[in-house]
Amino acid sequence: MKKKVSIKDIAQTVGVSTALVSYVLNNKEKEARVGKEIAQVIRDTAVEMGYQPNQIAKSLKTGKSHTFGLIVADISNPFFANLARNVEDEAKKFNYTVIFASADENAEKSQNLINILTERQVDGFIIAPAENSQEQIEALLKNNIPLVLIDRYFKGLDTNYVMTNNYEASYHAVSHLIEAGRTNIGMVAYKTDLVHMLDRKRGYLDAIKDNKLLKAKTPLIKTVDFNANQEEIGAGIRELFAQNPGMDALFFATNTLTLKGLKSLNKMQYRVPDDVAIVCFDESEAFDFFYSPLTYIEQPLLEMGKKAVQILIKNITDKKSLNTQISIPSKLIVRQSSAIVKKH
């Protein structure tokens, strides 16, 4: 069996002290004033000799595992997949490893994941919380475990969070449809009490009211369950048209709802934007294959990921550092699906 390479072995090979090697391999050569050339020699030698750091021993010594858990709502959603990549890239800058997990919008699964990651002694969490998981977050806070909520948060709960301004984004998107001449605008959203979805609905409602489009009608919002299939979403859209045959625009609250909604509109033989204009939250590579490029709300994923990691690292370093709450503006990317169409 091959002997495991130690820091002492590397030090003897290079001809320096074990302390010097330790400083370099822990990325603390600047503090120890180690020259760039010798630091590079030490790193190259460690690679050539097949050195593997003992993370368990390191964790016991420092009290930190240099890992944290990222629990997202649904890793199959491009929004969360891209967000996870940005979180991972930023974490690397702090020499942290990210352990990914997907709660699938399920509170029970979320609790199981938190338990597993806590047992693995992660230093903290970044969580896009599932509905009905507030008590889980409260328990982490009570146990003084560093965490940052991302994409959503719980009102009345004092904790770190990073998200986009959902209300402002929705208000701007619906106002854009009105400016494009659309007067009967429906919305398809998820049936949930999560604050980000409530804010998107509120932005839609206020834009409709402020532009005096309510008249005698009630706003056209159709909500579906998180696990709604193609048929259920199609039925919801048909219901919206039945309630208001003059509906000339749809605002979709997520990219997954949009994809299923577009399939339904095609099946119903509605043309975009001639018959119905479309604006949606978040983009998807699949949108590039649609005949009418979609207008969408671009969330600041890169900034959200960076901020969440930076806040978490600060919270890990100083556990009294709490309640950093950031709401980042998004951007409306205007394309063909919301174009002005001349009425005949």
Side-chain angles (χ1 to χ4, degrees):
M1 190 175 183
K2 190 177 178 181
K3 180 191 171 187
K4 188 171 182 177
V5 177
S6 68
I7 286 178
K8 185 178 179 181
D9 295 330
I10 298 167
Q12 288 175 345
T13 302
V14 178
V16 296
S17 68
T18 55
L20 200 81
V21 174
S22 180
Y23 276 121
V24 172
L25 296 183
N26 284 291
N27 298 306
K28 293 182 178 179
E29 63 265 30
K30 287 184 181 178
E31 292 94 320
R33 297 182 180 178
V34 181
K36 288 184 179 179
E37 289 184 10
I38 190 65
Q40 193 57 52
V41 169
I42 289 171
R43 285 199 173 91
D44 290 343
T45 303
V47 172
E48 288 168 9
M49 295 179 71
Y51 172 71
Q52 294 289 331
N54 188 332
Q55 291 296 341
I56 295 173
K58 190 175 179 181
S59 298
L60 290 170
K61 185 178 180 181
T62 64
K64 291 184 174 63
S65 65
H66 275 269
T67 63
F68 64 78
L70 172 65
I71 301 177
V72 298
D74 179 6
I75 199 65
S76 69
N77 185 324
F79 168 80
F80 286 113
N82 290 327
L83 185 62
R85 180 57 185 269
N86 292 332
V87 166
E88 183 180 39
D89 289 345
E90 187 66 14
K92 281 180 183 176
K93 297 177 186 177
F94 295 90
N95 298 313
Y96 263 80
T97 300
V98 183
I99 303 175
F100 301 99
S102 180
D104 299 330
E105 299 288 5
N106 183 294
E108 186 178 348
K109 186 173 181 182
S110 171
Q111 183 63 71
N112 289 337
L113 291 171
I114 288 172
N115 293 343
I116 291 166
L117 291 169
T118 301
E119 287 171 6
R120 293 193 63 167
Q121 296 186 316
V122 295
D123 294 335
F125 289 90
I126 294 177
I127 301 175
E131 192 168 23
N132 301 319
S133 66
Q134 182 166 340
E135 289 184 3
Q136 300 169 20
I137 304 304
E138 289 172 342
L140 290 172
L141 293 172
K142 188 177 179 180
N143 288 308
N144 209 25
I145 296 175
L147 70 92
V148 180
L149 301 185
I150 196 163
D151 184 52
R152 308 101 179 258
Y153 69 100
F154 294 108
K155 286 188 176 180
L157 189 61
D158 291 330
T159 186
N160 303 313
Y161 68 72
V162 177
M163 60 186 298
T164 193
N165 190 322
N166 290 283
Y167 172 84
E168 184 182 82
S170 292
Y171 188 96
H172 183 40
V174 176
S175 296
H176 162 72
L177 286 169
I178 295 167
E179 289 164 8
R182 307 293 171 160
T183 57
N184 292 290
I185 303 165
M187 180 180 186
V188 181
Y190 283 121
K191 193 184 298 178
T192 177
D193 288 329
L194 286 168
V195 70
H196 71 304
M197 197 59 58
L198 294 179
D199 282 348
R200 292 177 192 183
K201 293 176 191 175
R202 193 164 54 87
Y204 161 83
L205 289 169
D206 283 357
I208 295 291
K209 291 174 185 175
D210 290 351
N211 285 277
K212 297 180 172 58
L213 293 184
L214 269 183
K215 300 176 184 176
K217 303 168 187 173
T218 55
L220 298 174
I221 300 181
K222 180 62 184 177
T223 56
V224 297
D225 293 331
F226 276 116
N227 59 357
N229 59 30
Q230 181 68 56
E231 187 178 330
E232 289 166 331
I233 291 171
I237 292 173
R238 285 193 297 273
E239 189 178 322
L240 284 177
F241 277 109
Q243 290 172 347
N244 186 359
M247 189 169 68
D248 57 8
L250 276 171
F251 173 44
F252 288 97
T254 72
N255 52 7
T256 49
L257 286 171
T258 307
L259 285 171
K260 291 174 181 175
L262 291 176
K263 289 179 182 178
S264 298
L265 289 170
N266 278 345
K267 193 173 181 180
M268 296 160 66
Q269 298 186 333
Y270 282 97
R271 296 287 297 174
V272 178
D274 301 54
D275 300 320
V276 59
I278 301 291
V279 174
C280 63
F281 235 97
D282 299 324
E283 60 183 315
S284 168
E285 288 184 3
F287 293 167
D288 294 335
F289 298 99
F290 192 63
Y291 64 83
S292 179
L294 295 188
T295 295
Y296 66 92
I297 295 166
E298 181 182 61
Q299 295 200 66
L301 292 178
L302 183 60
E303 192 175 354
M304 287 171 69
K306 281 186 173 183
K307 290 289 184 186
V309 172
Q310 290 165 9
I311 293 168
L312 181 62
I313 299 299
K314 185 179 178 183
N315 196 182
I316 289 169
T317 306
D318 177 11
K319 292 192 177 182
K320 293 180 181 178
S321 173
L322 290 170
N323 303 333
T324 302
Q325 299 168 347
I326 298 177
S327 179
I328 308 171
S330 56
K331 184 179 179 183
L332 185 67
I333 307 299
V334 178
R335 303 200 290 182
Q336 188 182 333
S337 71
S338 62
I340 298 171
V341 176
K342 291 181 180 180
K343 306 276 177 140
H344 297 289

